[in-house]
Amino acid sequence: MAMRWTAPAPGPIEDWRFDEAEVAPPGPGEVTVRIRAAGVNPADAKHVATARPGAAYPMPIGYELSGEVTAVGPDAVGGSGALAVGDEVVAFRVQGAYATELTVPARDVFAKPAKLTHPEAANLLLAGTTAAEMIQVTRVGKGETVLLHAASGAVGVSLLQQARELGVRVIGTVGPDAELSAERVRRYGGIPVAYGDGLRERVEAAAEGAPVAAAWDAVGTDEAFEVSLALVAERDRIVTIVDPERAKTEGVLWIAGSRPESARFRDIARARVLELAASGALEVPIARTYPLADAVAAVRFVMDGHPGGKVALLP
Ligand SMILES: NC(=O)c1ccc[n+]([C@@H]2O[C@H](COP(=O)([O-])OP(=O)(O)OC[C@H]3O[C@@H](n4cnc5c(N)ncnc54)[C@H](OP(=O)(O)O)[C@@H]3O)[C@@H](O)[C@H]2O)c1
């Protein structure tokens, strides 16, 4: 028997349940993983907050994990090759990572980068593949200057590092009194500017005359939209991951893992993101870890909007 978190119906995180559940033995093309850490993402709460088409309840919570293989089903081949009992792995995109053990499709299971701890590895791929897609859809390349809203967040920090690899200059917004956020942005190669009144002028000053070629929005505020629209000449080089309605009104891009084209891109991008982490070029700063039983407190901490790094649940 395993312990796992589920949402019994659409609603708030306080309604989630932590129960015992049978772990299905792996069928063809599946493996079972003993979970060492589960990654916590805002999507875990947002996706069950209201009813969504096609969603089945009770819904197991959590999209990414790190752990060890405990059983391998027939013909199960991992995303990065053969899998054996005892292998240290990460899995993304799976359903039900907030658990002690889980059976998942082997194609979504990859060798864990040795440089990352389990809490770091469990938080690599959702933010990392989202960041990779934001770079791809805005066609950003070497030498360009880009504006990044919410630069100190999970997606922001991954974007900063992936952009640094490409030779892209990033101006990233941080809280007005958030010296730790600013420090994190500098550490990963970005130029921090405080969000709030006067943001446009501060970004222009930081750009030092270079055009702002694109904007990556990981917060979705009015201010983020307005400043992106004022500074970036081409609307199809502005992407938001937060507000699809406003994106439609303004004629800018919106991407999300639930869109089939995004899912396809992100599935392929997993290998590259893992490679960057294995080489040491992509770190995952952890703010806090919580026992698995305290998942609701962990998600609440993330949903406050200023976690200062990623959060992992430890079974
Ligand atoms: N569509 C997709 O595929 C997709 C994928 C992943 C995430 N997301 C969404 O993207 C958002 C960010 O996710 P995350 O995991 O990076 O979150 P996170 O790690 O919790 O980071 C949140 C960030 O927002 C910043 N922030 C808070 N208030 C702000 C404001 N008024 N103006 C500008 N920045 C502000 C914070 O910066 P300070 O602490 O410096 O204030 C912090 O860096 C969430 O809404 C999430 O649901 C969407």
Side-chain angles (χ1 to χ4, degrees), residues 41-43 46 126-127 130 133 149-156 173-176 178 181 184 195 218-219 221 223 240-242 254-257 266 302 305-310:
N41 290 287
K46 285 186 181 181
L126 192 150
T130 303
E133 192 185 1
H149 299 281
S152 74
V155 175
T173 70
V174 296
S181 297
R184 201 170 316 120
Y195 55 73
V219 70
T221 55
E223 175 187 73
T240 181
I241 56 170
V242 180
W254 166 70
I255 58 168
R266 293 178 195 193
V302 168
H306 309 276
K310 293 246 47 175

Side-chain angles (χ1 to χ4, degrees), residues 139-158:
R139 312 183 305 282
V140 168
K142 191 176 172 63
E144 288 190 309
T145 297
V146 178
L147 169 59
L148 164 57
H149 299 281
S152 74
V155 175
V157 160
S158 196

